[in-house]
Amino acid sequence: MPQAVVGKKYGIKQMENAIKRVKDIEISVPIVYGTISFWLGKKADELHSHKWTVYVRSAANEDLCVVIKKVVFQLHPSFNNPTRVVEAAPFELNESGWGEFEIGITVFFHGDVGEKPLELFHHLKLYPVDESGPQSTKKPVVMEAYDEIVFNEPPEAFFARLRNYPAAVVSSHTASGTVHLSADAAVSTECMNEKRSGDTKDHPLGQWFLKHSEADELSSIAAARQQVQSQIMKLKQDLDVLETEVLQLKSSARA
Ligand code: SLL
């Protein structure tokens, strides 16, 4: 399996405007962007030796429609209409070609997110790193990068829409815990017009998606925190019961 390329965290600059922001809150959306390419073998011709897909997905394969409005993929000028706009999740593009190049990926957020578009670049890889081995039409070349889009002090409207949205991790600078929002259905008008779900859980290329240790780590930390929180709650309840018993015993001893 190819190694996942690990990127740096993006702290997005906030736009200067008067929208009300939620203080002491940070929202992190773990994403993965990359390409999967298959050699066409006998079906290859001079201009099309490979078919490939470029995408931006949630690291947990959740629907990104709550945050992302559209993604623009900028292809090499040798392609027809090299600026490709994808307006609905899943944010992906299928193509075929003969050469490797740098794909520009611009991620546009919904208006209430209050952030400028995010510029990413991804190198389309067609040939395996170990070029001595034979090319295969069955096993693709996969290149992915993991990142976290961080929204610091999000606008109130955006934060409200994110409730019950499973692809986002909300953390507070003041409260000690990170709250991983529950996986209930998201109620957000931004996603309501979708005919189909924009998640990538049953994606046809899903078997080739890479595992990213940071994403796994993040969900296990969130799960562990939730477990600790519920243990604390239970212990507090037990303590309440014991304290009531002590009070009762004291008062009956006095009687
Ligand atoms: C290279 N610098 O020389 C790169 C350029 C361009 C690839 C690669 C076009 C396919 C089509 C295509 O694959 N361009 O025309 O449909 O390797």
Side-chain angles (χ1 to χ4, degrees):
M1 264 297 195
Q3 278 295 299
V5 181
V6 178
K8 58 188 179 306
K9 283 191 182 189
Y10 285 89
I12 297 178
K13 278 214 182 108
Q14 295 169 358
M15 282 182 198
E16 300 303 323
N17 49 20
I19 40 177
K20 265 186 119 181
R21 292 180 175 274
V22 191
K23 293 261 170 282
D24 301 322
I25 284 283
E26 186 182 277
I27 295 171
S28 163
V29 179
I31 59 157
V32 171
Y33 56 97
T35 46
I36 295 182
S37 60
F38 286 89
W39 180 48
L40 288 170
K42 283 191 201 120
K43 290 189 209 143
D45 62 42
E46 212 186 330
L47 283 181
H48 308 100
S49 56
H50 292 76
K51 63 173 182 176
W52 50 263
T53 305
V54 58
Y55 49 87
V56 178
R57 64 178 176 90
S58 138
N61 291 310
E62 299 291 350
D63 198 329
L64 286 173
C65 61
V66 183
V67 182
I68 297 178
K69 183 170 176 252
K70 64 175 180 185
V71 173
V72 177
F73 296 100
Q74 187 62 48
L75 306 184
H76 188 267
S78 55
F79 282 85
N80 282 334
N81 308 317
T83 307
R84 307 288 175 87
V85 184
V86 180
E87 310 236 27
F91 298 101
E92 63 181 30
L93 177 74
N94 294 299
E95 255 301 347
S96 59
W98 54 267
E100 300 184 348
F101 62 96
E102 192 95 312
I103 303 175
I105 304 173
T106 313
V107 179
F108 291 80
F109 304 108
H110 289 293
D112 63 358
V113 178
E115 303 290 350
K116 288 181 191 143
L118 174 63
E119 298 274 358
L120 303 169
F121 290 93
H122 181 79
H123 185 80
L124 166 64
K125 196 105 189 70
L126 302 183
Y127 298 94
V129 182
D130 175 16
E131 301 216 12
S132 57
Q135 282 203 87
S136 154
T137 53
K138 300 257 154 53
K139 195 172 174 290
V141 173
V142 185
M143 272 299 262
E144 283 191 339
Y146 170 89
D147 242 309
E148 285 159 34
I149 310 179
V150 177
F151 303 101
N152 199 21
E153 304 203 332
E156 280 177 359
F158 171 47
F159 183 60
R161 279 201 304 114
L162 267 182
R163 288 192 190 286
N164 299 326
Y165 177 57
V169 181
V170 176
S171 50
S172 159
H173 302 316
T174 45
S176 53
T178 298
V179 189
H180 195 169
L181 294 177
S182 78
D184 298 346
V187 182
S188 173
T189 48
E190 267 62 26
C191 295
M192 273 184 175
N193 296 332
E194 301 289 315
K195 278 178 227 87
R196 63 200 162 103
S197 166
D199 68 47
T200 44
K201 285 178 182 156
D202 300 313
H203 196 278
L205 295 172
Q207 63 167 308
W208 307 111
F209 288 164
L210 301 183
K211 281 250 170 237
H212 295 268
S213 54
E214 298 95 327
D216 289 347
E217 220 171 288
L218 220 62
S219 12
S220 38
I221 289 171
R225 279 209 167 113
Q226 252 172 10
Q227 231 174 0
V228 171
Q229 288 294 336
S230 58
Q231 272 169 1
I232 291 173
M233 288 276 282
K234 193 172 174 319
L235 287 171
K236 273 188 179 152
Q237 279 166 0
D238 290 352
L239 190 65
D240 278 353
V241 171
L242 286 172
E243 274 174 356
T244 320
E245 275 178 19
V246 169
L247 281 177
Q248 278 169 354
L249 282 171
K250 272 186 182 162
S251 65
S252 57
R254 260 188 246 117

